[in-house]
Amino acid sequence: MRSRPPTIKDVAEQAGCGIATVSRVLNGTGSASADTRRKVLSAADALGFEFSALGRSLQSSSTKTIGCIVPSLANPVFAEVVQAAQQEAHLEGYQLILACSEYDEMQELQAARTLIAKQVDGLVLTVNNASDSEALELIRDRRLPCCLVYNRASFGLPAWAVDNRAAAREVAQAFHDEGHVQTGFLALRFHRSDRSRERYEGFAAACREFGMADPLLLEIEEQEGNLLELLGTLLAEHQALTGIFASNDFLALAAMKAARALGKRIPDDLSLVGFDGISTGLLVDPHLATVETDPRTMGQGAVQSVLARLLDRPTPDLPSAAATFSFRAGGSLGPPVPGKADGREAATSLPSHE
Amino acid sequence: MRSRPPTIKDVAEQAGCGIATVSRVLNGTGSASADTRRKVLSAADALGFEFSALGRSLQSSSTKTIGCIVPSLANPVFAEVVQAAQQEAHLEGYQLILACSEYDEMQELQAARTLIAKQVDGLVLTVNNASDSEALELIRDRRLPCCLVYNRASFGLPAWAVDNRAAAREVAQAFHDEGHVQTGFLALRFHRSDRSRERYEGFAAACREFGMADPLLLEIEEQEGNLLELLGTLLAEHQALTGIFASNDFLALAAMKAARALGKRIPDDLSLVGFDGISTGLLVDPHLATVETDPRTMGQGAVQSVLARLLDRPTPDLPSAAATFSFRAGGSLGPPVPGKADGREAATSLPSHE
DNA sequence: TCCCTTTTTGGAAACGCTTTCATCAAAGTG
DNA sequence: CACTTTGATGAAAGCGTTTCCAAAAAGGGA
């Protein structure tokens, strides 16, 4: 029919009354005679009228919108965080505007700017480096309700975070219990993620505490396709390691695959522990030992924290540090077995495949 | 400093000029003397002024925002779609508002309503049933620029879709080539996804075409935790099947695990083929045979289609049906080997694990 | 019937922006 | 020097709401 969507003015005209009355009737605020109500309702219905959130937001200076910035959705952890955040926001009638920083601080900052310009009512985000983020600075200065996820509290902002150091300590303990001494820490974009660094630092400190050798830091820069090759090279260069703690599960699984291609038995020749606890870890054989976290709770909690500030509700309790993760044992971690560790070509150790 | 964010009026006051001038200077539209320009710029800077997208949108009736509805982010396919869509939108200065339908038509409709009320400039979405979606009806009636993803074209809306039937035919062909006759089709929420149904129909038709038995339809309703148990039961009930085509990779991987728990060798006792081509399929052993699709291209393309309409650009070409997928061979599909098929308890067939 | 209270109603302002239009001064032009 | 052109500028309208306020209508009691 009409190309321009109908406005409240159109409804008023059709119903033969003023726009104020239409607003009152349709919003159920204020009084109106039964007759007027009927006329307004039918006019609105006939025109297929819906309020424009724009005019409303301008007026109320509340957009019912929450901004969400995560590094990437390629990581299922963040995908889950976002999904849970979206659901939680939806429950209260809020929408989520999504932005991905691609692990880049400039994009992170720009995203924050854009979302602020869009007048989001609050923000939920995972930044690359919580202790030094221009985006967080901006948000703090703007006094915008905000909550961090998977970052530790910073800039005075609340955070639903995993205690990476404590978790890493448990991993070190597990390695130690199995008798490992020389381990490595494998990270994908080490300098771009404070989470990765915290895990490494906690791991290194704990290794020292348990009297193990300092873990070797194995960094990989980019994820360009040849990840498996890079891992293969890296593993080949460090045959002495009996165990590797990877900064996330995908990396651990990829390392598992690369190690096998090198003829290594898991866990006899090389033990592996991941981080995150994604479900894929339970589909492989042996199961991936890992640190389980709960992305859904994190995303949901972060939104609740923000909403609490917006709606003047009591702030939800942040989880105690110890409750933010749990070590999950798995067949990929076992005692080192000195056996035939160095068979370069060993397709035979790849099961059910010959 | 000030609790209320500064408006253009504040800047004008501080710079000692009219708001129109501020708008012109800051937007780089229209002319202004060097002196005024300087004053405006410094005033804006001093106040930390940023335009409110709200006022601007109200005025221009364009929010620079695209709505995005997908069933869930738990499926990495959709996570990638959303990520790619977000990136592509971002390139043109558009933001993405995200909504998840949770495979529920009511939520799907409600999301569409909300996004429309939020005055999104366009929509990119995957619906549950493209041929019969109230949400799509609404969108079509509103004449909103919109593009479907992973659904086939419907309601006159363009679509970046996978040719599910053709893909399923290739899977049937592959099963046939390996000598399978009695296969099954495994689906998670069959009645909630037209994609799943199309795959089944295409598969069934092709099986018939190749002279195979009609595939058994194995449905699973909900995904509540015990998925592996359900799969185990299901598989135990249908020992005659030599091959299973799953409606997505996760399901195929889970089935693989469940089958092994039953003592089945993959692929000798049971061949498996998935759909989607998620990277996890390459981390397991043997590799999962599957139909690869390209969620990034889909998401990106869909946004381009919408943007083309918004910015009056030539419509991007939709991919030819055949180019929307490619069959990926994998060790999980092989010829059926009658051997010791029925060992109920057979931990031995689980490799490197005893 | 008149006056007072209560309910219903619409005009108008405000929200923050862009854009048109008219004004005014400066700068050319003859 | 009178006259036109040009550039710079601000007032005001309009975008779609909500809400305040005053006016009008409707009851109610004497």
Side-chain angles (χ1 to χ4, degrees):
Chain A
M1 296 293 128
R2 51 172 65 244
S3 64
R4 188 178 48 78
T7 77
I8 197 175
K9 209 178 289 185
D10 298 319
V11 179
E13 193 173 339
Q14 175 116 8
C17 66
I19 58 167
T21 305
V22 175
S23 174
R24 274 186 299 253
V25 169
L26 260 29
N27 286 307
T29 155
S31 54
S33 71
D35 187 51
T36 319
R37 190 184 315 279
R38 197 182 37 70
K39 275 194 292 193
V40 168
L41 252 30
S42 78
D45 192 51
L47 280 96
F49 171 78
E50 302 225 14
F51 282 114
S52 159
L54 236 50
R56 185 175 278 179
S57 294
L58 185 58
Q59 214 288 138
S60 65
S61 65
S62 150
T63 54
K64 290 282 195 176
T65 288
I66 291 181
C68 179
I69 310 180
V70 293
S72 159
L73 288 185
N75 185 337
V77 172
F78 294 124
E80 279 191 55
V81 166
V82 171
Q83 164 122 335
Q86 191 270 332
Q87 285 175 342
E88 188 67 20
H90 180 72
L91 285 182
E92 303 285 351
Y94 281 73
Q95 260 53 52
L96 216 63
I97 301 197
L98 177 69
C100 297
S101 70
E102 309 295 332
Y103 297 94
D104 178 313
E105 314 228 326
M106 286 317 294
Q107 287 198 52
E108 178 182 305
L109 177 59
Q110 211 221 313
R113 267 198 229 290
T114 311
L115 293 179
I116 290 176
K118 274 245 161 40
Q119 309 282 97
V120 294
D121 291 342
L123 273 159
V124 161
L125 73 174
T126 298
V127 297
N128 296 294
N129 293 291
S131 60
D132 165 37
S133 159
E134 288 188 62
L136 288 187
E137 213 173 315
L138 190 65
I139 291 164
R140 185 213 20 188
D141 291 349
R142 286 280 195 287
R143 290 188 168 56
L144 216 54
C146 173
C147 184
L148 288 163
V149 193
Y150 274 90
N151 289 123
R152 63 171 47 212
S154 182
F155 286 90
L157 301 169
W160 285 70
V162 169
D163 188 336
N164 289 307
R165 287 197 171 77
R169 184 174 180 283
E170 284 203 25
V171 173
Q173 168 115 54
F175 273 120
H176 181 248
D177 288 351
E178 297 286 354
H180 292 264
V181 175
Q182 181 55 264
T183 61
F185 181 84
L186 180 61
L188 189 50
R189 298 178 205 83
F190 194 63
H191 66 285
R192 299 223 227 159
S193 156
D194 57 2
R195 301 169 292 294
S196 211
R197 285 199 303 280
E198 286 183 12
R199 286 164 201 175
Y200 170 68
E201 289 161 15
F203 188 57
C207 282
R208 189 170 308 240
E209 174 189 342
F210 293 121
M212 300 159 63
D214 279 344
L216 226 61
L217 179 57
L218 310 173
E219 290 186 59
I220 292 188
E221 269 313 303
E222 285 308 318
Q223 196 176 2
E224 302 313 331
N226 43 16
L227 177 61
L228 280 177
E229 287 176 32
L230 287 174
L231 281 173
T233 314
L234 211 54
L235 291 178
E237 283 171 7
H238 301 286
Q239 302 276 356
L241 302 179
T242 63
I244 289 184
F245 177 25
S247 69
N248 70 54
D249 282 350
F250 259 128
L251 209 48
L253 290 171
M256 197 158 169
K257 192 172 169 65
R260 281 188 168 144
L262 251 49
K264 291 185 182 294
R265 296 162 301 161
I266 311 291
D268 296 358
D269 301 327
L270 183 68
S271 279
L272 283 164
V273 177
F275 204 109
D276 287 341
I278 64 177
S279 59
T280 306
L282 296 174
L283 289 176
V284 299
D285 188 59
H287 286 183
L288 180 66
T290 188
V291 175
E292 279 190 342
T293 66
D294 188 349
R296 300 198 58 83
T297 301
M298 298 278 163
Q300 185 179 338
V303 167
Q304 279 172 355
S305 293
V306 169
L307 250 30
R309 267 195 60 191
L310 287 177
L311 307 175
D312 257 328
R313 293 195 193 146
T315 313
D317 294 330
L318 295 176
S320 74
T324 58
F325 65 90
S326 79
F327 182 77
R328 181 172 90 198
S332 68
L333 169 60
V337 177
K340 42 150 191 168
D342 53 357
R344 259 306 158 95
E345 219 59 51
T348 54
S349 78
L350 290 176
S352 60
H353 208 199
E354 51 275 1
Chain B
M1 297 293 130
R2 52 170 66 245
S3 63
R4 187 179 48 77
T7 75
I8 198 175
K9 208 179 288 184
D10 298 319
V11 179
E13 195 173 338
Q14 173 117 7
C17 66
I19 58 168
T21 305
V22 175
S23 172
R24 274 188 297 254
V25 170
L26 259 31
N27 285 308
T29 154
S31 52
S33 72
D35 187 51
T36 319
R37 189 184 315 278
R38 196 181 39 67
K39 276 194 291 195
V40 168
L41 253 29
S42 78
D45 193 51
L47 280 94
F49 171 78
E50 302 225 15
F51 282 113
S52 158
L54 236 49
R56 185 175 278 180
S57 293
L58 187 55
Q59 214 286 139
S60 65
S61 65
S62 150
T63 53
K64 290 279 194 180
T65 288
I66 292 181
C68 181
I69 310 178
V70 293
S72 161
L73 289 185
N75 185 335
V77 171
F78 293 124
E80 279 191 55
V81 166
V82 172
Q83 164 121 336
Q86 192 270 331
Q87 286 176 341
E88 187 67 21
H90 179 73
L91 285 183
E92 303 286 351
Y94 280 72
Q95 260 53 52
L96 216 63
I97 302 196
L98 177 69
C100 298
S101 69
E102 309 296 330
Y103 297 94
D104 179 311
E105 314 228 327
M106 285 318 293
Q107 288 199 51
E108 177 182 303
L109 177 59
Q110 212 221 311
R113 268 199 230 287
T114 312
L115 293 179
I116 290 176
K118 274 244 155 57
Q119 309 281 96
V120 295
D121 291 343
L123 274 159
V124 161
L125 73 174
T126 299
V127 296
N128 296 294
N129 293 292
S131 60
D132 166 35
S133 160
E134 287 189 63
L136 289 187
E137 213 173 315
L138 192 64
I139 292 164
R140 185 216 14 188
D141 290 350
R142 287 280 195 285
R143 290 190 169 56
L144 216 54
C146 172
C147 185
L148 289 163
V149 193
Y150 274 90
N151 290 122
R152 63 171 48 210
S154 184
F155 286 90
L157 300 169
W160 285 71
V162 170
D163 188 335
N164 287 308
R165 287 196 171 78
R169 186 175 179 281
E170 284 203 24
V171 174
Q173 168 115 55
F175 273 120
H176 181 248
D177 288 351
E178 297 285 354
H180 292 264
V181 175
Q182 182 56 265
T183 61
F185 181 85
L186 180 61
L188 190 48
R189 298 179 205 82
F190 194 63
H191 66 288
R192 297 224 229 158
S193 156
D194 56 4
R195 301 168 293 294
S196 211
R197 284 199 304 281
E198 285 184 11
R199 287 165 200 173
Y200 171 67
E201 289 161 15
F203 188 58
C207 281
R208 189 172 306 242
E209 176 189 341
F210 293 121
M212 300 159 65
D214 280 343
L216 228 59
L217 179 57
L218 311 172
E219 291 185 57
I220 292 188
E221 267 315 301
E222 284 309 317
Q223 197 177 1
E224 303 312 328
N226 43 16
L227 176 62
L228 281 177
E229 287 176 32
L230 286 174
L231 281 174
T233 314
L234 211 54
L235 291 178
E237 283 171 5
H238 301 286
Q239 300 276 355
L241 301 181
T242 62
I244 289 185
F245 176 27
S247 69
N248 71 54
D249 282 350
F250 259 128
L251 209 49
L253 291 171
M256 196 156 160
K257 191 171 170 66
R260 281 187 169 144
L262 251 47
K264 291 184 182 292
R265 297 163 299 163
I266 310 291
D268 294 359
D269 300 328
L270 183 67
S271 281
L272 283 163
V273 177
F275 204 108
D276 287 341
I278 64 177
S279 58
T280 305
L282 296 175
L283 290 175
V284 299
D285 188 57
H287 286 184
L288 180 66
T290 188
V291 175
E292 279 190 340
T293 66
D294 188 349
R296 300 199 58 83
T297 301
M298 297 277 162
Q300 184 178 339
V303 167
Q304 279 173 355
S305 292
V306 169
L307 251 30
R309 266 194 63 189
L310 287 176
L311 308 175
D312 256 329
R313 292 193 193 147
T315 313
D317 293 330
L318 296 176
S320 73
T324 58
F325 66 87
S326 78
F327 181 77
R328 181 172 91 198
S332 69
L333 169 60
V337 177
K340 41 149 193 169
D342 54 355
R344 259 302 158 98
E345 221 58 51
T348 54
S349 77
L350 291 177
S352 58
H353 208 201
E354 50 275 358

